[in-house]
Amino acid sequence: MTASAAVRGLRAAVFAALCVLLAAGGHALATGMTPAVWVQAVGFVPVFGAGYLLGGRERSLGAIGAATLIAQAGLHLAFDAVRP
């Protein structure tokens, strides 16, 4: 099953937004500091891009879970790297 560019973009945007918000919330709970909005926006871009590229066809639940874990790990490292 393939998806149109508009559907892929919408799904990628929702996936990226949820990943960034989840990572920012977890980071805030763990460190007591919320990542800056600009860091969250910068983190949104690569997650959106990967979600768009991977959203060209239907993926298994395992692949979606793996992509989510990789995105969370990357966002965690990015949020930690820019922490004052």
Side-chain angles (χ1 to χ4, degrees), residues 10-75:
L10 181 61
R11 285 192 305 207
V14 170
F15 177 75
L18 289 174
C19 282
V20 170
L21 291 175
L22 181 63
H27 190 78
L29 287 173
T31 64
M33 292 178 19
T34 305
V37 174
W38 71 268
V39 177
Q40 295 178 42
V42 169
F44 178 89
V45 175
V47 177
F48 174 82
Y52 185 83
L53 292 175
L54 293 173
R57 65 179 180 87
E58 190 172 349
R59 303 283 175 191
S60 69
L61 186 58
I64 295 168
T68 303
L69 288 176
I70 291 169
Q72 291 297 310
L75 289 167

